[in-house]
Amino acid sequence: MSLAVSRGLNVAVPLLFESSLPGLCGTRSAPHRFDEAAYDGRLGGLHRCDTIGLPELSEPQVMRHFVTLSAKNYCIDTGIYPLGSCSMKYNPRVNEKVARLDGLANIHPNQPEGTVQGILQIMYELGEALKAITGMADITLTPAAGAHGELTGLMAIKKALSEREERGRNIIIVPESAHGTNPASAVMCGFKVVSVQANKEGTVDMDVFKAILEKYEGKVAGMMLTNPNTLGIFEGEIKNMADLIHEQGGYFYMDGANLNALMGNALVDDFGVDAMHINIHKTFSTPHGGGGPGGGPVVFSELLAPYCPIPKVVKNPDGSYHLMDEADAPDTTLGRVKGFAGQVGLMVRALAYIKAMGAEGLTQASRDAILNANYLQHELTEGGLTAPFEGPNMHEFVLSDHYLKGTSVTTMDMAKGLLDAGHHPPTVYFPLVVSGAMLIEPTESEPLTSLDRFAGDLIGLADKAHGCQDDTCEMKSSPTLTPVRRCDEVGAAKNPVLRWVKPRGVDL
Ligand SMILES: *Cc1c(COP(=O)(O)O)cnc(C)c1O
């Protein structure tokens, strides 16, 4: 890996420890000496004898360090973030304003119910809004992310099967184009995954699906289907699949992470869904990235509603709100899947978004997301890039690397080239079923000028790629304008360096 270097105003930032100059200090305090006699015995002789080794820096140095780092954050407030399957949409500032209100930001989950009626009402109204958007019977707001919602939904399915004394049903059918979290959640929940292939239109192959149902008759616990799927295509046979699964005694789980293409335009209840998670950090504009916090509410059909986790806000006949928990929940509940009531700050933001947009606004948002994706796909394929499926697409679309045939350039080189052009690259090499995939999701946040600039730069790179026949090609060494160049991403993920170790001979 190349070392970080400063270029122009793009400044490399060493660690605070590496910048430390012994003796520098941002504050002035009276010298403190550890009085051993005073503490004698009380620490069992375990008191620290040497210095802690904190970096020593002046206040301006510390300020520059953190401000420079903060300015390196590429984010949706900086530019297009077309990461497919992630719905990186703008996070309206009104959400932040509401979440920071004193009465919402400074409350504690252990406060008496009578003192937190406002937040309980917000949670209740968010639940009702999400039920209205999906048409489903019940909801839990507590799961902390999409994958956590999947696990919660599958746990409800497992519990329902065990109440029916059908513990032998242990197979979950998952299309091969599914998000990686689907099979992972199923396995974590103790199920076996049987995968089903896509046809040439990019949707579930119904013949293969029916053959699987026949082969595993009496063993199918359910199916997990992403819709629109991870190729950005609507699974038109979804109701048929749900009916066939139900006929066989299984439950139908829909991965609702792509709700940004559906809200206001379709009710998932009409698809025959029994459980579905919603990523509020995608569809409902709460911030995400960098590992959280997220929000993965799960909606349930009548069939699975009895297993809904607690705690859950209910409305009393007198109009007040109550957080139902172990003390008064039905015995069928799954119980808790998260501490306290979940990521409540995100629930506030999601409801602020829903209220600001209104039903019409949400419907328009998903239509604009679909329009933006189809426009961008059209521009890119007109410009010579290749899409493996004809479309039309929903809110995202996939490109294959077919257009790079005969060149030495790969999808990764294209993504790195986009960095030099000042764009965040799309998701690459996912879904796995498309060669050298680029999964592009512009979202409704992008104005036409931004879509055009992105398309122009990507087409420009594709044109340049046609002149590249070997590894001496300039495109193989992009990015050239970033402080770090090609990183060993796999190494960084597998062997993260989480601790700074003082190099030998350095005096700190
Ligand atoms: C994002 C996503 C998930 C996982 O959601 P997290 O909140 O990241 O756990 C699952 N399925 C699909 C289709 C997604 O896009």
Side-chain angles (χ1 to χ4, degrees):
M1 190 180 99
S2 48
L3 282 178
V5 285
S6 299
R7 288 158 192 274
L9 292 180
N10 201 349
V11 181
V13 187
L15 298 177
L16 283 178
F17 288 100
E18 293 163 342
S19 322
S20 176
L21 285 175
L24 279 183
C25 186
T27 58
R28 198 191 281 245
S29 56
H32 177 76
R33 288 204 53 119
F34 182 70
D35 182 353
E36 224 176 310
Y39 287 91
D40 196 29
R42 283 199 269 161
L43 296 176
L46 292 174
H47 57 265
R48 176 184 286 280
C49 296
D50 50 1
T51 57
I52 294 177
L54 292 177
E56 295 173 69
L57 298 136
S58 68
E59 179 174 329
Q61 280 181 298
V62 175
M63 183 57 78
R64 282 185 182 164
H65 176 83
F66 287 109
V67 171
T68 311
L69 276 186
S70 73
K72 288 195 183 304
N73 245 350
Y74 186 93
C75 54
I76 190 65
D77 299 332
T78 324
I80 188 170
Y81 212 128
L83 214 49
S85 208
C86 296
S87 300
M88 304 297 287
K89 64 164 76 176
Y90 177 64
N91 310 142
R93 287 306 177 268
V94 66
N95 301 357
E96 296 304 318
K97 203 164 174 179
V98 175
R100 279 166 176 68
L101 290 174
D102 207 35
L104 294 173
N106 293 323
I107 48 178
H108 192 279
N110 282 340
Q111 265 178 250
E113 214 162 83
T115 67
V116 288
Q117 284 292 304
I119 188 69
L120 293 183
Q121 181 175 354
I122 287 173
M123 289 159 70
Y124 181 81
E125 288 190 15
L126 176 64
E128 292 304 299
L130 295 176
K131 275 156 63 182
I133 290 167
T134 56
M136 300 288 283
D138 206 352
I139 187 163
T140 174
L141 297 176
T142 57
H148 191 194
E150 292 170 23
L151 185 66
T152 304
L154 289 167
M155 284 163 70
I157 291 174
K158 197 163 194 178
K159 180 126 200 204
L161 289 170
S162 98
E163 302 258 309
R164 280 166 41 188
E165 311 225 330
E166 289 211 69
R167 290 184 191 86
R169 288 184 179 269
N170 66 345
I171 285 177
I172 296 282
I173 301 173
V174 183
E176 61 178 358
S177 66
H179 197 270
T181 50
N182 290 190
S185 301
V187 168
M188 233 179 130
C189 201
F191 291 111
K192 277 207 179 96
V193 172
V194 171
S195 88
V196 43
Q197 287 92 345
N199 55 25
K200 61 180 190 326
E201 282 82 44
T203 53
V204 170
D205 188 316
M206 288 303 283
D207 292 333
V208 177
F209 173 68
K210 283 177 191 160
I212 288 173
L213 277 185
E214 206 168 298
K215 179 166 171 197
Y216 296 102
E217 168 126 46
K219 292 217 151 313
V220 175
M223 174 170 198
M224 291 180 93
L225 182 77
T226 307
N227 200 21
N229 66 25
T230 52
L231 301 165
I233 301 170
F234 186 81
E235 294 278 358
E237 295 284 345
I238 184 166
K239 181 70 169 71
N240 271 343
M241 286 186 253
D243 288 348
L244 288 167
I245 289 281
H246 288 145
E247 265 169 40
Q248 288 241 347
Y251 295 93
F252 195 75
Y253 187 95
M254 181 173 135
D255 178 330
N258 293 336
L259 196 63
N260 210 40
L262 298 178
M263 57 176 179
N265 296 309
L267 284 178
V268 301
D269 188 47
D270 292 341
F271 301 159
V273 171
D274 293 309
M276 177 185 88
H277 73 268
I278 297 166
N279 297 56
I280 57 173
H281 46 288
K282 293 179 182 170
T283 314
F284 297 102
S285 83
T286 69
H288 75 305
V298 179
V299 284
F300 295 102
S301 66
E302 298 283 357
L303 273 183
L304 292 182
Y307 312 105
C308 187
I310 48 169
K312 194 167 120 181
V313 183
V314 290
K315 194 171 180 177
N316 294 322
D318 68 358
S320 64
Y321 297 90
H322 164 60
L323 199 59
M324 187 173 79
D325 61 12
E326 286 82 353
D328 55 350
D331 313 335
T332 47
T333 175
L334 268 184
R336 286 177 189 262
V337 296
K338 178 88 180 78
F340 296 111
Q343 321 270 34
V344 169
L346 289 197
M347 299 173 198
V348 175
R349 289 171 174 84
L351 187 64
Y353 177 70
I354 290 171
K355 293 248 177 198
M357 297 290 277
E360 253 177 58
L362 293 178
T363 308
Q364 190 65 44
S366 61
R367 291 184 181 176
D368 288 348
I370 294 168
L371 186 62
N372 274 359
N374 282 283
Y375 173 77
L376 194 52
Q377 189 202 19
H378 177 266
E379 292 301 291
L380 290 172
T381 48
E382 286 286 295
L385 287 93
T386 44
F389 306 105
E390 222 167 70
N393 298 286
M394 298 297 282
H395 66 308
E396 61 188 350
F397 63 95
V398 70
L399 297 176
S400 71
D401 59 3
H402 189 74
Y403 69 97
L404 294 173
K405 252 199 163 151
T407 76
S408 62
V409 173
T410 63
T411 295
M412 187 58 84
D413 300 328
M414 294 290 290
K416 298 296 183 192
L418 276 173
L419 290 173
D420 278 342
H423 302 286
H424 193 289
T427 299
V428 290
Y429 299 100
F430 175 83
L432 305 174
V433 291
V434 170
S435 164
M438 253 194 191
L439 183 63
I440 304 181
E441 180 182 3
T443 83
E444 71 278 13
S445 306
E446 292 313 313
L448 189 57
T449 45
S450 145
L451 296 177
D452 284 340
R453 195 172 86 78
F454 180 79
D457 286 337
L458 195 51
I459 293 167
L461 286 169
D463 289 344
K464 217 159 128 188
H466 290 296
C468 288
Q469 301 306 327
D470 55 40
D471 284 355
T472 61
C473 167
E474 174 196 345
M475 281 184 77
K476 302 299 285 183
S477 55
S478 54
T480 56
L481 301 175
T482 51
V484 285
R485 307 278 300 275
R486 296 243 176 165
C487 306
D488 174 5
E489 285 116 346
V490 176
K494 296 211 160 163
N495 304 303
V497 180
L498 302 175
R499 197 168 150 247
W500 182 77
V501 183
K502 188 167 81 169
R504 255 173 219 278
V506 174
D507 186 24
L508 282 180

